[in-house]
Amino acid sequence: MKLLGYLRLICILLGIIGVSMLLPLGVALYYGEQGAASAFAASAVGSMIVALLVLVLFRHVPVKFSIRGSFLFVALAWTSASVFGAVPLYTGGFIPHAADAVFESISGFTTTGATILSDMESLPRSINLWRCQMHWLGGMGIVALTVALFPLLGVGGFQLIKAETTGPEKGKITPKITNTAKVLWLIYLAFTAVQFVVLYAAGMDVIDALSHAFATLGTGGFSTRNSSIAAYQSGLIDAVCTVFMLIAAVNFNIYFYAFTRKFEDIWNNSELRCFIAVVVVSIVIVSVSIWGMYGVQAVRYASFQVASIISTTGFGTSDYTTWPPVAQFVMFTLFFLGGCSGSTAGGIKIIRWVILGKQVSNEVRRTLHPHGVFSIRLNGRAGRKDVVFTVAAFVMVYLCFIFVTTFVGTCGGLDILSAFTGALSMVGNVGPAFGQLGPSFNYGFLPDFIKWWYGFAMLAGRLELYTMIIMFTTSFWKE
């Protein structure tokens, strides 16, 4: 009965994704892209019919989530969505190889933005829109969207949100988790609409503006152009994308606090203050480093690329692997950081580094004052003592998973730099890396077994490792 309940909700989720395919379907019909229109129509209609049948036939099946059940459902939901997202890419013949189509879809939903494609401009416009739309759906969370639209989950909804959202500490900004999900999605939608309008006013056409708004707010990085944002050669478009990448990398709770005028909570937010400091310092160092290459334009390129990497979006206006070593080092360091918790960005998250940094400071003080009592203060208040152990364990698991993924990359013939930074990129959902996987290259040349592993790594990284990795432990399956 539990599995039947999970199946019911997964079918509903796929039905929601099917409804979202009506947008690219409309674009395909408008531009006369018959192959794409057929692929989207079959996928959308099929999923909606199945969802309606399941909703009606199994409406009396109870849905209750234990902690294990929540992890299982979220893992199954994201895997199912990623496979389903590949269907129009594969059946339409646009990505005819199954491993490539699933890789592209996983990269889309997990907001990684790593692509196997070398010529995006040859694809139908509807397919490129769908690639970017997957970023947008996965950015805020497909399970969160389901919770927002279908409050039938009841008390289990909070467990699902916890299994999907990012950061060491997760809570509600409204009394009900359903309302919290709705509020976050409305904020997300509002920012997307604003960026769409601004990009359109800045010179992009309607489809490109919508596609890049989806990719930016989802911190994904897919583009409709082969050379990404650089293709537009517009300082204004660069600036718009830079601002919205940084907006998307901030905890969305902050915007709710701004709307409700809780300015003290914003000012005292330890993670936000650290994030701003890291961004500013990184831009200054990179700008100085590349000044000889770009002159006064160095600030433009540095700001864009710093925002792109720390937000794990992966857009490009310049190949940072050709920059001086100091600038490359800063970009490499940003791969380890990521955005803020509760944002659409990937990576380890700034808050975890803040917590570890404060603990290091406490240990230094304890060395000088052995009998002193020291606590970690977050957001102006004393934090939980056990959060340090939680964060340290997560960082340890994260680094171990990076090393395993690096090993898999070397088994496929990648050099150590490409394999290591590729692992950082996959697990951190960044997109580009260094070496053979740098921003001027793609992932299409990799052997299939690496693509499948990288797909798993992207899913694990998006769900903060435990949700996916726990499935492979014997203790999880024991009653």
Side-chain angles (χ1 to χ4, degrees), residues 18-28 40 126 129 133 207 210 214:
V19 171
S20 76
M21 287 185 181
L22 295 178
L23 176 60
L25 172 59
V27 171
F40 282 121
S126 56
L129 177 61
Q133 189 177 328
I207 303 302
L210 184 58
F214 282 159

Side-chain angles (χ1 to χ4, degrees), residues 358-378:
K358 287 179 177 290
Q359 181 61 24
V360 169
S361 175
N362 282 347
E363 293 302 321
V364 171
R365 294 163 64 195
R366 186 172 287 112
T367 300
L368 298 175
H369 308 282
H371 302 294
V373 177
F374 307 102
S375 62
I376 289 178
R377 296 188 64 81
L378 294 172

Side-chain angles (χ1 to χ4, degrees), residues 131-341:
R131 292 171 63 244
C132 297
Q133 189 177 328
M134 286 190 286
H135 283 330
W136 192 77
L137 291 170
M140 187 55 66
I142 53 176
V143 173
L145 178 60
T146 307
V147 171
L149 296 179
F150 287 87
L152 72 159
L153 298 179
V155 295
F158 186 52
Q159 282 296 333
L160 297 184
I161 296 295
K162 286 177 66 178
E164 182 183 59
T165 52
T166 59
E169 296 189 309
K170 304 159 188 180
K172 310 172 189 177
I173 55 175
T174 63
K176 293 184 178 181
I177 191 62
T178 301
N179 292 336
T180 295
K182 287 179 180 178
V183 167
L184 294 178
W185 266 95
L186 285 173
I187 295 171
Y188 190 48
L189 181 62
F191 277 130
T192 305
V194 171
Q195 189 187 5
F196 163 70
V197 171
V198 176
L199 286 178
Y200 179 71
M204 286 189 180
D205 64 30
V206 171
I207 303 302
D208 277 7
L210 184 58
S211 298
H212 287 95
F214 282 159
T216 305
L217 266 299
T219 60
F222 279 159
S223 177
T224 60
R225 301 298 185 92
N226 295 337
S227 52
S228 190
I229 302 299
Y232 298 96
Q233 297 183 349
S234 167
L236 178 58
I237 289 176
D238 288 2
V240 171
C241 290
T242 299
V243 170
F244 279 93
M245 283 189 288
L246 293 175
I247 286 174
V250 171
N251 191 326
F252 274 68
N253 291 355
I254 294 294
Y255 306 121
F256 178 78
Y257 296 149
F259 181 76
T260 53
R261 298 185 178 184
K262 295 180 179 179
F263 300 116
E264 186 175 353
D265 289 338
I266 298 174
W267 174 254
N268 290 330
N269 190 276
S270 304
E271 183 180 37
L272 179 62
R273 295 165 73 174
C274 182
F275 176 76
I276 293 172
V278 169
V279 169
V280 171
V281 171
S282 297
I283 290 174
V284 170
I285 294 175
V286 174
S287 296
V288 172
S289 177
I290 64 175
W291 193 272
M293 298 175 65
Y294 301 105
V296 70
Q297 292 293 319
V299 178
R300 166 187 166 186
Y301 289 106
S303 300
F304 185 94
Q305 217 56 62
V306 166
S308 180
I309 297 302
I310 197 168
S311 69
T312 71
T313 305
F315 280 149
T317 54
S318 179
D319 187 348
Y320 54 78
T321 63
T322 64
W323 287 356
V326 171
Q328 288 192 50
F329 174 78
V330 173
M331 304 309 295
F332 176 76
T333 302
L334 295 179
F335 274 75
F336 287 91
L337 301 183
C340 299
S341 60

Side-chain angles (χ1 to χ4, degrees), residues 413-432:
L414 291 175
D415 62 82
I416 188 64
L417 175 64
S418 301
F420 182 64
T421 57
L424 284 172
S425 182
M426 293 298 96
V427 182
N429 303 134
V430 180

